[in-house]
Amino acid sequence: MILQAALLLAGLSATASATCCPPVRFSAVQSVTIVNSTFAKDALYSFTYDGINERYVISGDLSDGFLTTTKVIYDYSKKTGFSIDTAARTCSTFRLQGKFKDQESVCVPSDAVTLGPFFYGYDVGRLPSTGYTYNSTTVNGEFQKVVATVSRKDCVPIVITTTTTGPGGNALTVLGYNDVVPGIRDFTVFDIPSYCSK
C-alpha cells in the first residue's frame, strides 16, 4: 500500500526552477508516514538519489526489522518507473509524469517562502537548517501545501510534510531523511532485471 502511495507521489507537477537542491547524489533512510481518511501507514525505506542521471530508487521496508525484496526505480531520463519484486521475479512499468527535480519534494522551488532558520540537536553538535513552505498541484489537479526543512549548508532534506486536499479527501504525507551520506555506494540498485519489460 505504501509503495502505491509512493507511485502516486511520483506524478507531482513541475516547478519552473529551484531555490536549492541537495547534492547531486546521496543515499539515506527515508521514513514515510501517510495518513488519510481510510488508512495510516508508516514505513522505512532505503532511498538512493542520482541527480546526474535523473533517477532515484526507493527499496525495501525496514520498519519491521527486515528488508523486503521490493523496490521502485524512478528513471526520469526514460520517463519510466519500474516496480520490482526480486524474490517473486515480477516487474511492472509505469509512465512518469512531471520533472525529476520536483519529485519527493527534494528540491525547494524558487517560489517557496522562507519560514526562518531552525536548528536540530544541541550545543556545538546542532545542525543549522532552514524551513520553507510552498504550494503545488498533483497531476490530478489536487492542491498540495508543502513544508520542507532542509540543511542550511547544502539543502539536504530533513523533514518534508505534504498536505493534499482534493475531492477524494485529504491526506498528510511526512518524509523524514536520516543517515544521509553523500554519493552512491552501490549503483546496482538501479539495475533493471532482465524479466522487466520496457
Side-chain angles (χ1 to χ4, degrees):
M1 181 67 81
I2 194 79
L3 280 177
Q4 291 170 338
L7 296 175
L8 177 64
L9 291 174
L12 298 178
S13 66
T15 308
S17 62
T19 294
C20 72
C21 287
V24 292
R25 288 183 170 150
F26 72 92
S27 300
V29 173
Q30 184 187 60
S31 170
V32 180
T33 300
I34 298 176
V35 179
N36 67 24
S37 60
T38 60
F39 77 96
K41 175 68 177 164
D42 294 311
L44 287 173
Y45 292 116
S46 173
F47 180 81
T48 305
Y49 180 86
D50 181 3
I52 292 172
N53 295 302
E54 294 193 335
R55 61 189 181 173
Y56 64 93
V57 62
I58 298 173
S59 59
D61 183 353
L62 308 171
S63 59
D64 292 326
F66 65 93
L67 182 63
T68 63
T69 59
T70 304
K71 69 178 178 179
V72 181
I73 299 170
Y74 301 85
D75 190 334
Y76 278 81
S77 65
K78 297 176 182 171
K79 289 289 190 191
T80 303
F82 302 87
S83 181
I84 302 164
D85 186 326
T86 56
R89 296 183 55 82
T90 59
C91 175
S92 61
T93 61
F94 53 94
R95 185 92 177 128
L96 296 176
Q97 299 178 22
K99 293 184 180 178
F100 171 73
K101 287 189 176 182
D102 299 327
Q103 305 313 309
E104 296 294 301
S105 302
V106 171
C107 288
V108 177
S110 60
D111 62 345
V113 175
T114 303
L115 297 175
F118 297 102
F119 295 93
Y120 283 84
Y122 176 73
D123 201 23
V124 295
R126 67 187 187 163
L127 174 65
S129 61
T130 304
Y132 296 94
T133 185
Y134 58 93
N135 298 328
S136 182
T137 305
T138 68
V139 293
N140 301 330
E142 296 175 321
F143 173 79
Q144 292 183 313
K145 178 72 167 182
V146 180
V147 177
T149 304
V150 298
S151 63
R152 196 175 310 156
K153 179 180 176 186
D154 46 15
C155 199
V156 171
I158 301 169
V159 176
I160 300 166
T161 62
T162 304
T163 304
T164 305
T165 57
N170 300 337
L172 173 66
T173 302
V174 180
L175 302 176
Y177 294 85
N178 59 71
D179 196 20
V180 179
V181 294
I184 298 172
R185 294 180 195 155
D186 181 8
F187 280 92
T188 64
V189 297
F190 293 104
D191 289 351
I192 309 299
S194 58
Y195 52 85
C196 274
S197 60
K198 294 180 183 177

